[in-house]
Amino acid sequence: MRVTTNGVIVIGVVTMMAIMVAAIAYQQFSWWVFPFGLLFLTVFAGILWVCFLDHREDRFRRASEGKFPDEPWMRNKRWRTDNMTSRSKPEFWGSLAFTLILGVFALSGIVSLQSGLPEGNYWVLLNFIPIAGALYFARSTYIAWRTWSLERHVNLISETRPAWIGSKFSAVMKVVGVRRTDQVEAWLEHLKVVRLEESDGVAFEKVVDHKLTGQTEEMSGGQIRISVDIPENIPATSWNDDEQESWWDFVIVVGLPEKKLTLRYEVPVADPALH
């Protein structure tokens, strides 16, 4: 189903790109079409790139199903290695993409304000919406970049892969390039997407329904072992697309001299009764 959906999206995007290029080529030349053409071509290129990455990940997952039929955590590239990577990098690129898109609208809005207000056209005040949106995402992008750049100080190695229900999950963290840390906090939290029926339609909300506090233990060489007891009767990671989307995040808060750093690592949590 995912491959078919990606194919339909790709065909639709390529068709829209061809129509837009043809429309620009056959109409009377005007400078204003360039920023809008660049904006939509960038958006279309981004959609195609996301579809390509999703298709490649889907191929990897399907190929791994035959090799590891009873080990679904081995179908994810990030979970095949003990070196854990956080969500900061994809969050940065996603926020940057929104900032660039809204930035083009904000730039055209500023031009529209300068030309419309002197003429008494107060409808142009609506352009403050994309301007405010661009400023908001620019701030989010800066925060995501700061988190990603500070992440280089943290090396996290999983000692338990996957994490088993009814057992203990542990990972060893080492902070490099920094002489001291003010504090280290960690916990496991279970998140799921909930469908909400509202008067004006259907909405989806991400909620946290389980939070397991971690314990820290100082080791030699400036390393810290973080462990979390996982009790019985809690949900495992949803491995299949047909299941309700749910996952476990390993959240670490490190107090560095520069700034407090919060990193999220997705952790596979499996039920030993099923594997």
Side-chain angles (χ1 to χ4, degrees):
M1 178 64 68
R2 179 179 296 180
V3 176
T4 304
T5 303
N6 278 339
V8 172
I9 293 175
V10 169
I11 293 173
V13 169
V14 171
T15 302
M16 293 178 66
M17 291 176 66
I19 293 174
M20 187 187 71
V21 171
I24 293 175
Y26 283 97
Q27 74 173 4
Q28 187 177 358
F29 177 80
S30 178
W31 285 103
W32 68 268
V33 301
F34 281 97
F36 287 96
L38 179 62
L39 168 65
F40 286 105
L41 286 175
T42 303
V43 172
F44 293 154
I47 294 174
L48 292 176
W49 178 248
V50 170
C51 288
F52 169 75
L53 294 179
D54 187 68
H55 174 67
R56 186 173 65 176
E57 181 180 350
D58 186 67
R59 287 186 59 186
F60 178 85
R61 181 179 63 84
R62 291 180 181 276
S64 301
E65 287 179 353
K67 297 180 180 178
F68 307 99
D70 299 324
E71 299 175 309
W73 53 89
M74 296 297 288
R75 303 167 193 169
N76 190 310
K77 291 181 180 179
R78 292 175 301 166
W79 294 344
R80 285 194 177 188
T81 175
D82 294 332
N83 295 314
M84 303 177 66
T85 56
S86 76
R87 301 178 183 272
S88 58
K89 183 177 179 180
E91 286 177 353
F92 165 74
W93 287 112
S95 181
L96 179 62
F98 277 104
T99 301
L100 293 177
I101 293 171
L102 288 174
V104 175
F105 281 108
L107 182 61
S108 64
I110 293 173
V111 175
S112 178
L113 284 170
Q114 291 177 340
S115 60
L117 286 178
E119 299 174 356
N121 182 10
Y122 294 106
W123 286 103
V124 297
L125 293 176
L126 294 174
N127 288 298
F128 279 111
I129 296 176
I131 293 173
L135 292 175
Y136 172 80
F137 276 99
R139 179 178 179 274
S140 300
T141 301
Y142 173 74
I143 295 175
W145 175 79
R146 284 283 298 169
T147 302
W148 186 19
S149 62
L150 288 174
E151 185 186 355
R152 69 181 185 273
H153 297 300
V154 178
N155 289 339
L156 189 66
I157 299 177
S158 174
E159 292 185 315
T160 311
R161 180 164 51 90
W164 294 101
I165 294 176
S167 184
K168 183 188 294 290
F169 169 78
S170 64
V172 175
M173 184 188 72
K174 184 175 183 180
V175 180
V176 297
V178 177
R179 293 186 177 181
R180 66 178 180 85
T181 58
D182 299 325
Q183 190 178 10
V184 176
E185 299 178 76
W187 62 87
L188 273 174
E189 64 181 28
H190 181 256
L191 301 97
K192 63 181 181 181
V193 178
V194 178
R195 177 188 174 99
L196 302 176
E197 298 286 347
E198 300 180 349
S199 59
D200 56 348
V202 179
F204 295 89
E205 182 180 356
K206 182 174 65 175
V207 298
V208 177
D209 60 349
H210 293 281
K211 184 176 180 179
L212 308 176
T213 305
Q215 299 82 39
T216 59
E217 174 191 355
E218 293 189 7
M219 304 169 60
S220 60
Q223 300 183 105
I224 299 175
R225 174 175 285 113
I226 305 172
S227 58
V228 183
D229 291 320
I230 305 178
E232 302 283 354
N233 301 322
I234 62 171
T237 300
S238 59
W239 312 109
N240 301 321
D241 295 337
D242 296 334
E243 298 176 353
Q244 182 185 31
E245 185 178 3
S246 64
W247 65 96
W248 285 89
D249 272 359
F250 187 40
V251 185
I252 297 181
V253 180
V254 184
L256 299 174
E258 299 93 339
K259 187 181 179 182
K260 183 174 289 188
L261 174 64
T262 301
L263 296 174
R264 286 182 170 271
Y265 304 82
E266 189 174 356
V267 174
V269 177
D271 189 346
L274 301 177
H275 301 283

